[in-house]
């Protein structure tokens, strides 16, 4: 009996204290996953036509990154990689404006503000399934995108 009385008194004290300090006794909702600052928005892993390792075929294989923040992000030293540890590194200052995208092509070409080139003479992304990872300067995975063996591209 004393246990019930004590429990009611403690509950009453807690409610009174919460009201006094302007709070409430509600439980916190689980945190929602935040949208990553830099997001993989498309992976074109199976370039159209014959896989002949031509520049046009290699460059038709790409991953698109989009800045979801409201501010510019400098991608210097950030990486894009696959499950087999093929790594593309933004080696110098590369500022991606808020809402802007950059496409990283597998093959060779001239880098611009919207298109970067891995410089590979071989395909990076597996047509039978793979995962793309974007990591920040500390090596922390910011976003990833996976696909299976069907289709040619995926919107992430």
């Amino acid at each position: 009996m004393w246990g019930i009385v004590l429990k009611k008194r403690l509950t009453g004290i807690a409610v009174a204290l919460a009201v006094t300090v302007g709070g409430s006794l509600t439980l916190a909702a689980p945190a929602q996953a935040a949208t990553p600052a830099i997001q993989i928005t498309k992976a074109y892993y199976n370039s159209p036509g014959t896989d002949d390792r031509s520049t046009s075929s290699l460059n038709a294989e790409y991953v698109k990154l989009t800045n979801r923040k409201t501010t510019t992000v400098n991608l210097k030293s950030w990486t894009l990689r696959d499950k087999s540890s093929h790594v593309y590194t933004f080696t110098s200052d590369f500022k991606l404006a808020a809402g802007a995208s950059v496409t990283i092509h597998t093959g060779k070409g001239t880098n611009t503000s919207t298109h970067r080139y891995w410089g590979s003479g071989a395909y990076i992304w597996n047509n039978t399934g793979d995962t793309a990872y974007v990591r920040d300067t500390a090596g922390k995975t910011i976003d990833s995108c996976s696909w299976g063996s069907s289709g040619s591209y995926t919107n992430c």
Side-chain angles (χ1 to χ4, degrees), residues 16-130:
L17 183 59
V19 169
T20 301
V21 296
S24 68
L25 293 177
T26 59
L27 297 174
Q32 295 293 324
T35 301
I38 302 298
Q39 189 174 29
I40 300 168
T41 51
K42 186 171 188 175
Y44 208 119
Y45 51 87
N46 186 4
S47 62
T50 304
D51 287 347
D52 59 7
R53 291 191 180 194
S54 66
T55 299
S56 61
S57 180
L58 288 167
N59 286 337
E61 182 183 84
Y62 62 83
V63 170
K64 185 176 185 179
L65 304 178
T66 302
N67 180 354
R68 295 296 188 196
K69 291 186 72 165
T70 57
T71 58
T72 297
V73 175
N74 189 348
L75 297 180
K76 181 179 182 181
S77 300
W78 285 50
T79 61
L80 174 65
R81 62 184 65 221
D82 71 345
K83 286 167 79 172
S84 299
S85 296
H86 295 102
V87 180
Y88 173 84
T89 303
F90 289 90
T91 56
S92 59
D93 281 346
F94 183 82
K95 295 178 181 173
L96 191 59
S101 296
V102 60
T103 302
I104 298 94
H105 300 272
T106 296
K108 297 174 183 170
T110 303
N111 290 331
T112 69
S113 62
T114 56
H115 295 273
R116 307 301 281 182
Y117 295 86
W118 203 301
S120 178
Y123 297 95
I124 301 293
W125 309 107
N126 295 327
N127 298 352
T128 56
D130 208 341

